[in-house]
Amino acid sequence: MEQPTTHQLAHWLKVLAEPRRLQILNLLMAGVQCNCELGTQLDMAPNLISHHLSVLRKAGLVEVERDAVDARWVYYAINRPNLEALNATFTAFFDPARIQPRQPNCGPQTACEPDDAVTTR
Amino acid sequence: MEQPTTHQLAHWLKVLAEPRRLQILNLLMAGVQCNCELGTQLDMAPNLISHHLSVLRKAGLVEVERDAVDARWVYYAINRPNLEALNATFTAFFDPARIQPRQPNCGPQTACEPDDAVTTR
DNA sequence: GATACAATCCAATTGTGGTTGAAATATTGC
DNA sequence: GCAATATTTCAACCACAATTGGATTGTATC
């Protein structure tokens, strides 16, 4: 019935449907990956940024990496394969070519139950 | 600062991030547009379906049309132009080609706050 | 070891939005 | 007019997630 990609898409959409997470993703794509700079540009508390990044990381959309010189700093990056999978799943689900004309098995002429479609007007 | 497409995308994602609305859209695309048959297939109360369809309609994703013979029946359909706009906006925002490498203006070597952001705000 | 810093985790609060049931609206047939 | 059908609207309830402030972890410097 429901292919697993639909569930994955629903989960991804729930993660993405947050303005601040969209802004974070937007900055990550633009090359801003330092946590503190994200905080200054978005005017958000660092713990809040950490929370949203955790949600994005658990969804597999971003990856985390610690600085080689000073491990206190962490850098976040877009997970490119999963982003491509997200894009493909979304475009496949919302493809306008999937739109089918109305199949009138319900309405004033037909019965509302799909079983007995034989009814006189 | 924020292009209007991003704001629109955030609104659309918030509307789409609902499993039942995704199911409704899926059925609408497959050609099932009668309200009562949506209720039987999704096992939802009609007022709940009406609510979700109202959200989708206000977002411009579905259109409503009353039956020509008996105006008590209403049929819902996908708004194809807006669906194409949604698809285009989404793919443009989440295009993997947009991913830029990290720009290290923050970290152990550099100061954490960008100098241009100190003057304003 | 002690201190400072970046980031995270935790508990509590708040706010938004889905769900529910009943009433209201609209239209058709008698 | 009245009754019946299809849908919508309304108000209340409930659950989950974002936010907040403080405490904690991990790391580097002195």
Side-chain angles (χ1 to χ4, degrees), chain B residues 54-88:
Chain B
S54 169
V55 175
L56 290 171
R57 186 173 47 81
K58 285 172 185 168
L61 293 175
V62 303
E63 286 175 326
V64 62
E65 180 192 4
R66 289 193 171 267
D67 190 284
V69 178
D70 191 337
R72 288 177 297 183
W73 271 264
V74 293
Y75 304 119
Y76 292 93
I78 301 288
N79 188 320
R80 182 184 282 262
N82 285 353
L83 187 73
E84 293 173 353
L86 164 67
N87 220 328

Side-chain angles (χ1 to χ4, degrees), chain A residues 14-43:
Chain A
K14 210 163 185 56
V15 170
L16 296 176
E18 193 61 39
R20 306 205 152 172
R21 283 201 278 265
L22 271 184
Q23 294 176 15
I24 288 176
L25 284 178
N26 199 22
L27 288 180
L28 287 183
M29 285 191 175
V32 181
Q33 303 179 5
C34 181
N35 196 321
C36 59
E37 195 175 359
L38 286 176
T40 57
Q41 290 210 15
L42 296 177
D43 197 20

Side-chain angles (χ1 to χ4, degrees), chain A residues 102-107 110-114 117, chain B residues 31-32 34 37 41:
Chain A
R102 186 170 78 85
Q103 298 172 354
N105 43 355
C106 187
T110 60
C112 199
E113 308 272 339
Chain B
V32 181
C34 182
E37 195 174 0
Q41 289 211 15

Side-chain angles (χ1 to χ4, degrees), chain A residues 49-65:
Chain A
I49 296 181
S50 184
H51 163 66
H52 286 307
L53 283 170
S54 170
V55 175
L56 290 171
R57 186 173 48 81
K58 284 172 184 167
L61 292 175
V62 302
E63 287 175 326
V64 62
E65 180 192 4

Side-chain angles (χ1 to χ4, degrees), chain A residues 13 17 26 29 31 34 36-37 43 67 75 84 87 90-91 93-94 96 98 100-103 105-106 108 112, chain B residues 13 17 26 29 31 34 36-37 67 75 84 87 90-91 93-94 96 98 100-103 105-106 108 112 121:
Chain A
L13 289 178
N26 199 22
M29 285 191 175
C34 181
C36 59
E37 195 175 359
D43 197 20
D67 189 285
Y75 304 119
E84 293 173 353
N87 219 327
F90 189 91
T91 53
F93 189 93
F94 294 101
R98 279 186 56 215
Q100 297 294 325
R102 186 170 78 85
Q103 298 172 354
N105 43 355
C106 187
C112 199
Chain B
L13 289 178
N26 199 22
M29 284 192 175
C34 182
C36 59
E37 195 174 0
D67 190 284
Y75 304 119
E84 293 173 353
N87 220 328
F90 190 91
T91 52
F93 189 93
F94 294 101
R98 277 187 58 216
Q100 297 293 325
R102 187 171 77 85
Q103 298 172 355
N105 43 353
C106 187
C112 192
R121 263 200 81 83

